[in-house]
Amino acid sequence: MSENVMTLQVITPAGMIYDHHANYITARTTNGEIGILPNMISTIAGLEIDELKVRRPDDETHVDYIAVNGGIIEIKDSLVTIVADSAERNRDIDVSRAERAKIRAEKALEVAKAEKKSDEINRAEVALHRALNRLNVSSHR
Amino acid sequence: MGASLNEIKTKIASTKKTSQITGAMQMVSAAKLQKAESHAKAFQIYAEKVRKITTDLVSSDKEPAKNPMMIKREVKKTGYLVITSDRGLVGGYNSNILKSVMNTIRKRHANESEYTILALGGTGADFFKARNVKVSYVLRGLSDQPTFEEVRAIVTEAVTEYQAEEFDELYVCYNHHVNSLVSDARMEKMLPISFEESGQQKPSLETFELEPDRETILNQLLPQYAESMIYGSIVDAKTAEHAAGMTAMRTATDNAHSVINDLTIQYNRARQASITQEITEIVAGASAL
């Protein structure tokens, strides 16, 4: 059993968000979705703004979800490290704050589209994407 | 004699009030210092991991680096990012860092076109402006526990200016926090990114699967790395600032206490002298009768 476990660490500038064992992790890299099993070949990849699904070894049905805002994933010796600007576990997400962020991003997107500023549109789209991602992850409770 | 008695009394009262204020400021700084220290500790983990991934990625690289952030260019112009505080009352904190920056600049550069300054904090910006040094970017009003978002503006500015070849190397000058009494002025080279210390120790034999490819990951990772390094020094500088503020205020409070002691002794002496004089006068008056 012990060989079939890996450690996942999610680290942001605000400190370590998540540090637990896992059996199986799914993440979305810039190239598409990957599944990570213990003893996988060493890999470094860029991540999309998406959710991270972590299957825990203690119980088949025990699954954690983490919202990740981009960042880099490194897999080495069954230690999975994710370094991101920000990340939140589903139970830590403040839903009303995420809702507000979504509304704010939608408004900013409208304004940016009306003014046809491509930089602003991109920024607003990323913000909206982050808010939607957080809402999506927080729905797994 | 009476006037001087009153004078001393008001002096004592005003010094007492000052000491109360400095005492309160000391406690505020102490609380902020504690917060900043725990913040810096949390960030340390992040910086370490970003560093590790970057070294993992770069040390498995066989070819010389092609990324613009790692290539050493011929140095025509140097950028200095100087981190100071916005407000005073922090003892020698600002003069310490500014003096070391001025010394270095004088030693290294013959004329003004060889360097540019990015100032973080009002004191530094005003200092360089008063000396007619060109400051290309100013950021004021940073909060006491700066978030990554707040600092991103100046960090991104520094990285873009470097990429646009506005300058060919970047030094970050700040006070490193050692403990609450000691901090030392540091000047660290941030750009171009080099891994000489860690990269040459053990060339890693491990190879990594890279997705999608090295260039794309480096393009994402290196700015993140540079940002984290610069942000780390800002957090460090803020911690040192709170420590300096706390020490300065503690010294001020201690000084106020010793001034109050001296004044109280003076006051009592003057009071005694006036009483003695009064008695002498009464006795003299009585014996004259």
Side-chain angles (χ1 to χ4, degrees):
Chain A
M1 186 65 190
S2 66
E3 299 93 60
N4 273 327
V5 169
M6 57 191 158
T7 312
L8 170 66
Q9 295 182 332
V10 180
I11 297 150
T12 71
M16 185 112 51
I17 299 292
Y18 190 88
D19 182 10
H20 286 295
H21 289 310
N23 281 353
Y24 182 68
I25 302 166
T26 37
R28 187 181 290 280
T29 69
T30 42
N31 262 15
E33 195 147 314
I34 56 166
I36 303 159
L37 285 164
N39 305 316
M40 202 171 116
I41 187 168
S42 299
T43 306
I44 296 177
L47 285 180
E48 290 280 355
I49 300 169
D50 208 326
E51 68 175 23
L52 208 66
K53 199 168 154 190
V54 186
R55 210 172 278 284
R56 298 280 294 277
D58 55 350
D59 182 359
E60 275 296 302
T61 57
H62 190 166
V63 180
D64 285 338
Y65 295 90
I66 305 163
V68 180
N69 289 339
I72 302 271
I73 185 168
E74 183 198 46
I75 304 159
K76 188 184 179 185
D77 308 328
S78 286
L79 172 67
V80 181
T81 316
I82 291 172
V83 177
D85 280 359
S86 72
E88 270 174 300
R89 285 186 73 166
N90 57 347
R91 61 165 190 227
D92 296 334
I93 292 174
D94 184 340
V95 179
S96 65
R97 221 188 97 215
E99 287 279 4
R100 272 190 310 232
K102 183 188 145 203
I103 294 164
R104 206 165 49 233
E106 277 168 347
K107 272 189 193 144
L109 189 60
E110 262 172 43
V111 173
K113 273 189 178 153
E115 290 172 5
K116 294 207 172 70
K117 286 182 188 159
S118 60
D119 273 7
E120 295 287 318
I121 292 175
N122 282 341
R123 205 168 299 156
E125 269 171 358
V126 170
L128 183 61
H129 196 161
R130 286 181 172 194
L132 287 175
N133 181 38
R134 287 198 356 243
L135 284 174
N136 183 28
V137 171
S138 67
S139 64
H140 303 290
R141 276 186 197 248
Chain B
M1 218 49 188
S4 133
L5 260 184
N6 258 340
E7 238 167 57
I8 295 171
K9 216 175 189 176
T10 44
K11 237 186 203 167
I12 290 176
S14 83
T15 317
K16 230 176 216 163
K17 268 183 194 146
T18 312
S19 84
Q20 264 168 6
I21 292 170
T22 54
M25 284 171 79
Q26 182 207 328
M27 278 196 280
V28 169
S29 284
K32 280 182 185 163
L33 171 66
Q34 216 166 28
K35 235 184 184 173
E37 264 179 348
S38 69
H39 187 69
K41 211 174 264 172
F43 180 75
Q44 212 59 47
I45 307 170
Y46 174 79
E48 227 163 71
K49 285 289 176 187
V50 174
R51 191 185 184 88
K52 196 180 143 268
I53 293 183
T54 318
T55 34
D56 271 349
L57 189 62
V58 173
S59 64
S60 64
D61 203 351
K62 306 288 181 296
E63 310 149 37
K66 283 196 295 264
N67 197 286
M69 290 183 72
M70 293 175 65
I71 294 173
K72 286 194 183 68
R73 295 197 290 255
E74 193 200 336
V75 179
K76 293 191 212 92
K77 199 166 181 182
T78 312
Y80 292 95
L81 175 64
V82 183
I83 305 173
T84 54
S85 73
D86 273 316
R87 53 182 191 86
L89 298 177
V90 283
Y93 176 81
N94 286 318
S95 58
N96 206 358
I97 188 80
L98 292 173
K99 205 164 77 190
S100 96
V101 171
M102 281 315 266
N103 279 343
T104 318
I105 287 178
R106 237 175 262 137
K107 223 183 292 163
R108 277 194 201 152
H109 305 292
N111 67 57
E112 268 191 29
S113 63
E114 285 178 12
Y115 61 89
T116 180
I117 305 255
L118 294 99
L120 209 164
T123 317
D126 297 339
F127 175 87
F128 289 116
K129 215 174 274 165
R131 275 158 191 76
N132 285 327
V133 178
K134 209 185 121 227
V135 180
S136 62
Y137 189 85
V138 178
L139 183 71
R140 286 167 197 262
L142 210 61
S143 68
D144 287 321
Q145 321 293 340
T147 60
F148 203 62
E149 292 299 320
E150 258 180 272
V151 175
R152 178 165 287 160
I154 195 163
V155 173
T156 320
E157 173 75 20
V159 172
T160 355
E161 270 188 39
Y162 177 78
Q163 281 169 335
E165 309 205 4
E166 287 284 322
F167 43 75
D168 305 295
E169 50 181 4
L170 175 72
Y171 287 90
V172 174
C173 318
Y174 66 103
N175 272 322
H176 171 63
H177 172 69
V178 182
N179 56 42
S180 52
L181 289 173
V182 185
S183 68
D184 61 331
R186 264 196 192 176
M187 189 170 277
E188 272 175 13
K189 193 174 180 177
M190 292 289 173
L191 294 170
I193 297 169
S194 64
F195 295 98
E196 272 137 22
E197 333 108 72
S198 47
Q200 259 161 19
Q201 281 170 358
K202 44 168 181 121
S204 143
L205 295 171
E206 201 144 5
T207 50
F208 281 90
E209 286 285 304
L210 298 171
E211 251 180 84
D213 59 71
R214 177 177 302 282
E215 281 312 301
T216 322
I217 296 177
L218 275 181
N219 280 341
Q220 190 182 348
L221 188 58
L222 287 181
Q224 202 179 345
Y225 178 78
E227 280 171 14
S228 84
M229 295 299 283
I230 297 174
Y231 179 65
S233 38
I234 292 171
V235 170
D236 197 353
K238 272 284 166 193
T239 317
E241 183 190 323
H242 295 317
M246 191 181 84
T247 318
M249 285 306 113
R250 186 191 294 143
T251 321
T253 316
D254 289 351
N255 280 345
H257 282 314
S258 73
V259 167
I260 290 171
N261 267 346
D262 290 349
L263 284 178
T264 316
I265 291 171
Q266 229 178 28
Y267 176 79
N268 286 341
R269 275 206 192 120
R271 195 173 58 101
Q272 221 165 9
S274 79
I275 292 168
T276 315
Q277 199 182 353
E278 233 170 87
I279 292 174
T280 328
E281 275 164 14
I282 291 167
V283 171
S287 62
L289 276 177

